[in-house]
Amino acid sequence: VHTVGFLVLLAVVVLGGAYFLSAYMKLVYEGGRTWLSPVLRPVERLIYRVLRVDPEHDMSALQYTRAVLMFSAAGFLAVYLLERVQGHLGLNPISLKGVRPDIAMNTAISFVTNTNWQAYVPETTMSYLTQAAGLAVQNFVSAATGMAVAVALVRGFTRSGRSGIGNFWADLVRGVLYILIPISLVIAVVLVARGSVMTFDGPAHVKTLEGAAQTITRGPAASQVAIKQLGTNGGGFFNANSAHPFESSTPFTDFLHIAVLLLIPFSFPFLYGRMLGRMKEGLAILAAMLILISSLYAVSLAAETRTTPALTAAGLVHAPNLEGKEMRNTVQEASIFSISTTVTSTGAVNSAHDSLTAVAGGAAMTGILLGEIAPGGVGTGLYGILMFAVIAVFVGGLMVGRTPEYLGKTIGAREVKLALIGTLVMPIGFLIWVGVSAVLHDGLSAPLNAGPHGFSEILYTFASVWNNNGSAMAGVSVATPYYDSMTGAAMLLGRFAVIVPALALAGTLAKQKTRPIGPGTMPTASPMFVGLLVGVILLVGALSFFPALALGPVAEALTGRLF
Amino acid sequence: VILAGMDIVYVGLILVLFALVGLMAVGLDRL
C-alpha cells in the first residue's frame, strides 16, 4: 500500500507539474513574455550583447549543430583547464592538487555531455571552485543544450518550407535563465531547509560520542544537488550521491529528488503537444513513455522485494533485498529511484546498483539501453523517442501500404536514414566497446566480481556512458587510463553522434511543406500508434541487446547463485 | 610545468572526436 501510494503521489506531482511547466516552457522558447520577464529580460539582453548574438537570427540545421559542437568543445576545454590548475586557485580549503590528466579529461567530457559519470571521489579530488564554477555550470548548460536540441526538432515538425530551426544561443540562454536557474534555486533552498549542506567552509572536525575524532566533509552541495536532479545530470557532490545525508536528509527529500529528476523529462511530451497545437500527439508520446517506465517499475519492485540468494543462504526467506540500501530509504523507494534514474539520463543513485538483484539490475540496464526515452533526459528523451516515432511511422506505412507521413511530413528515405543513424549509433558503439573490453586485459581487470555479474558490471558501465546516464555498478575499478579513455570517447559519441542526426532531421523536416492530413494519413494520436511505437522500441532494444543481457543479468538470475 | 605531455594526448583525443562528429554533421547535411 505504501508503494502504491508513493507511486500515485509521484505520478500526480510529476505529471501535474509537467503539464503546467510545459505551458511556461512553450512561452520561454517562443521568446514570449513570462512572469519572470521583468527581472530576467534585461539580463537576457545583456548576455546577447556580450556574446554579440542576434536571437532573432534563424539558424540552419548545420549552423545550429556547429554552435552546439563549438559551445560544448569550449566547455570541455574550460572545465579541463580548471581541474588541472585548481591547486593554484582559491576555494580549495583542503589544498587539493590538480586532477590527473585522464580523470580531468573523463570528468570534463562527462559533465559537458550531461553524463556525470564520476571516475573519482568528489570529496578528495575536486576543489569547491571546480565543483561550483566548472561542474555545476556544466550541469546547467549541458541540460539546456539537450533541451534546445529537442525544441529545434519539434520546430522541424511545426515549420513548413523554412530553412531555419531556431537560434541555439537564444534557446540555450532562455533554457538556463528562465527554466533551470529559477526552479533549481527553489529546490536548493528547500534542500538546505531540510538539512542539505551549503557552505564554503572546509571540513568539520568533531569528536564523536565515543570520543573518536571524525572529519565531516562539507561544501557548496545543495545548489549542485538541485540542478543535478533537475537537469538529469546526476553527478553527486559527495561520492555516496543521493544516499548521503547532506544530499538527501529525509524521506521527503528522497521523494523530492525522484520527483525533480522526472519533472522536465515528462514536461517535454506536453511541450511537444503544445508546440504542435495538437495535445493528443503529445499525449500519445507520453502514453508510450508511461507504458515503458511502469513496466520497469513493476519488474524492479517485484525483484527487489523478494529474497535474494545471499539471504536464502542465511536462512532468511521473507526479507527483501537489503544489501546496498541506505536504510533511511525503504527498499521500495530505492527500487523506484533506481528505475527513475536510469530511464532518465540522470544517473544519481540512492542505493548501490551493484547490489541490485540480477533482475532489478537488468531492469535498470534495460531502461538505459532502450535509449533513455521513457521519459529520457531533459530534451534528449524527446528527440530520442521522436526518432523512434519516425521509424514506427515508416514501418506502419509499409505494413498498410500507405505513404509514410507523420504530422503532415512525408517520411522518405532521407528522414528514415537520419532516424536510423540516430537510434543505431548507440547500440553499435556500445556493443563494440563491450566486446573489446570483454577480451582485453585492461577491460577485464576492472570488474571486481566473477562470472555473469562481472560481465554485467562491464555491460552496465558502457550502457551508462554510451547513453549519458552516469550511474554505475560500482564494483568496477574504472579510474584507469584505459577505462577513462574508453568511457570518455563513448560519452562524447553517445551524445553528439545522436544530436547531429537529430538536428539534421529537424532541418529536413522544417524544409518540407506540411501537407494537410487526409483520410490516407495514419493516425498517430491513437492507441494503435502508441502500441506500434512501444513495439518498435522494444524490438530494436531486444534485437540489439538481448544476447548481451543473456550473458549478464539473465544468466545470473537463472543460476540463482552469488558471484 | 602545469600542462604538458599527457594533457596533449587526452585533450587531443577529445578534440579529434569533436572534429569527427563535426564531419559527420557536414556529411549528413549532404546526404
Side-chain angles (χ1 to χ4, degrees), chain A residues 200-440:
Chain A
F200 284 115
D201 288 343
H205 302 283
V206 297
K207 193 165 267 187
T208 66
L209 290 173
E210 294 164 327
Q214 188 179 358
T215 302
I216 301 174
T217 50
R218 302 182 290 188
S223 57
Q224 188 170 318
V225 173
I227 185 60
K228 90 165 185 190
Q229 303 292 23
L230 184 69
T232 62
N233 301 280
F237 188 90
F238 300 103
N239 198 37
N241 212 293
S242 293
H244 195 291
F246 285 167
E247 291 207 10
S248 173
S249 324
T250 66
F252 167 72
T253 54
D254 191 53
F255 177 86
L256 186 67
H257 275 229
I258 300 174
V260 168
L261 73 88
L262 292 169
L263 179 64
I264 293 182
F266 270 119
S267 300
F268 267 91
F270 290 115
L271 176 65
Y272 178 57
R274 287 183 194 280
M275 287 179 73
L276 293 172
R278 295 181 210 168
M279 185 51 91
K280 282 186 177 175
E281 297 288 346
L283 294 180
I285 298 293
L286 176 68
M289 290 174 170
L290 288 174
I291 289 169
L292 292 166
I293 191 174
S294 305
S295 310
L296 291 170
Y297 278 145
V299 170
S300 177
L301 280 165
E304 284 291 288
T305 49
R306 288 183 189 163
T307 193
T308 66
L311 290 170
T312 308
L316 293 167
V317 289
H318 296 297
N321 178 22
L322 293 166
E323 184 191 309
K325 303 293 189 290
E326 163 58 53
M327 293 312 294
R328 289 175 300 125
N329 309 321
T330 62
V331 170
Q332 288 84 349
E333 280 176 39
S335 162
I336 291 167
F337 197 117
S338 75
I339 294 300
S340 304
T341 197
T342 47
V343 291
T344 59
S345 74
T346 311
V349 295
N350 79 347
S351 67
H353 282 202
D354 207 23
S355 295
L356 291 170
T357 56
V359 174
M365 234 185 289
T366 303
I368 297 175
L369 286 171
L370 290 180
E372 293 169 350
I373 36 76
V378 288
T380 61
L382 185 73
Y383 66 69
I385 202 166
L386 287 182
M387 286 195 276
F388 274 114
V390 166
I391 297 168
V393 165
F394 182 70
V395 172
L398 288 183
M399 285 197 290
V400 296
R402 290 176 180 175
T403 305
E405 266 181 31
Y406 186 36
L407 303 168
K409 304 285 186 182
T410 304
I411 303 303
R414 179 174 160 77
E415 289 76 16
V416 173
K417 277 182 203 165
L418 291 171
L420 279 174
I421 292 169
T423 50
L424 293 181
V425 160
M426 180 275 290
I428 292 169
F430 160 75
L431 291 172
I432 292 173
W433 259 240
V434 169
V436 168
S437 300
V439 293
L440 291 183

